[in-house]
Amino acid sequence: MNAAQSSAVAKFRALHESGCFVLPNPWDVGTAVYLQRLRFKALATTSAGFAFSCGKSDGRVLLDDMLSHIGEMVAATPLPVNADFLNGFADEPENVAGNVKRCIATGVAGLSIEDNTGRGDVPLYEKSLAVERIRAARRAIDASGVPVLLTGRCEAWLVGRPDPFRVALDRLVAYAEAGADCLYAPGVQKPDEIADIVNTIAPKPVNVLISGFNRKLSLSHLADLGVRRISVGSGLAAVAWGAFIRAARSIATTGQFDEAFADAVPFAEINEVFSKRN
């Protein structure tokens, strides 16, 4: 652990101790730099956003490529970076531990491990194995001597599990007991369910994903519910893709450019942001 990582880890942990903060998800160096310009306090990678930029679907980026990307994001700004590390790129706990060790070496301040297998037939790891995977990640972090923040994720909502609230709450409690520092069940949207998760997990912090399905929830509302961290996953990447697709379709179908470029940010404005880094 170098001084930069030590400082980032300390800052990231402090952010989770009180209040509520937004952890936006850039997908490349440029978007990371711009989010720092907006004075966000920390950043998180997005596996989907990065995969889309590579012309791949989520979950199809190879481990070495993901580690290289995470390292680039860490180097892009002095802000703490949390790695969206999917399922740890392994099924067995010992392999998860080895990959977590490699992720820590990129300089991250935190990382998440989820229970999504990536398989359609059995979308979630069996609970006892999922818990062991979190324990293995915890052991790897402790053995490294770098106290990066470990987030345990339950994907019950995202994989369409029946009664996702019950499944997620049960698993998040188990992940907290297994050593996760922060707990996260992407897909939850009902305020009463969010409050129940927060109260059950307390005093450990809870992350809530905001996306299209629950976008009416606000920072102040979630803070009132006791949420400590809000991430947006691939949301910002999807917004960018939406603008690009609409403009490209307009050109392709009409042969006109006025509507396609009507909302474009001026070249000089974007260029000015990055000219200071040269």
Side-chain angles (χ1 to χ4, degrees):
M1 178 171 59
N2 57 33
Q5 186 175 23
S6 177
S7 175
V9 169
K11 290 177 182 177
F12 197 50
R13 284 189 165 275
L15 286 171
H16 292 77
E17 293 176 359
S18 63
C20 184
F21 71 101
V22 177
L23 183 69
N25 302 74
W27 62 93
D28 62 12
V29 169
T31 50
V33 169
Y34 197 83
L35 290 170
Q36 179 194 357
R37 181 185 176 94
L38 294 178
R39 300 186 184 280
F40 284 101
K41 297 177 181 179
L43 306 173
T45 66
T46 160
S47 64
F50 176 57
F52 299 160
S53 73
C54 299
K56 298 182 178 182
S57 58
D58 191 20
R60 297 299 181 184
V61 174
L62 299 177
L63 173 60
D64 286 349
D65 293 334
M66 183 62 79
L67 289 170
S68 177
H69 167 66
I70 292 170
E72 288 180 349
M73 300 298 277
V74 169
T77 80
L79 297 179
V81 173
N82 187 79
D84 176 359
F85 208 48
L86 296 168
N87 69 342
F89 292 83
D91 296 324
E92 296 305 317
E94 59 269 25
N95 295 329
V96 171
N99 292 338
V100 164
K101 181 179 178 181
R102 295 183 65 190
C103 187
I104 293 169
T106 66
V108 293
L111 60 91
S112 62
I113 297 293
E114 63 189 46
D115 53 15
N116 188 341
T117 65
R119 301 191 301 270
D121 55 338
V122 185
L124 292 184
Y125 290 105
E126 189 271 327
K127 181 184 172 183
S128 63
L129 175 58
V131 171
E132 283 304 315
R133 287 160 42 79
I134 295 295
R135 285 201 183 104
R138 176 80 270 156
R139 288 194 297 269
I141 292 170
D142 293 344
S144 75
V146 186
V148 303
L149 190 137
L150 174 62
T151 297
R153 288 178 49 151
C154 177
E155 306 286 290
W157 269 282
L158 297 192
V159 302
R161 185 72 177 262
D163 197 2
F165 172 69
R166 181 190 61 79
V167 173
L169 189 61
D170 178 59
R171 286 184 174 231
L172 292 181
V173 169
Y175 298 165
E177 293 173 349
D181 299 300
C182 180
L183 289 306
Y184 179 18
V188 63
Q189 56 184 303
K190 296 179 181 178
D192 59 333
E193 293 182 341
I194 294 172
D196 282 347
I197 291 173
V198 168
N199 292 331
T200 302
I201 297 302
K204 291 194 174 183
V206 169
N207 182 99
V208 168
L209 170 72
I210 294 296
S211 190
F213 59 84
N214 63 352
R215 65 184 182 276
K216 293 187 180 300
L217 293 171
S218 66
L219 170 61
S220 60
H221 189 183
L222 290 170
D224 288 343
L225 294 174
V227 174
R228 290 283 175 82
R229 192 175 88 187
I230 302 168
S231 58
V232 298
S234 60
L236 288 172
V239 169
W241 274 98
F244 165 75
I245 289 171
R246 285 190 294 273
R249 282 178 175 169
S250 177
I251 295 169
T253 57
T254 69
Q256 303 296 318
F257 302 92
D258 52 347
E259 290 188 9
F261 295 155
D263 296 323
V265 177
F267 170 87
E269 181 178 333
I270 301 174
N271 199 54
E272 186 271 337
V273 172
F274 303 121
S275 64
K276 295 179 180 179
R277 303 183 75 246
N278 296 340

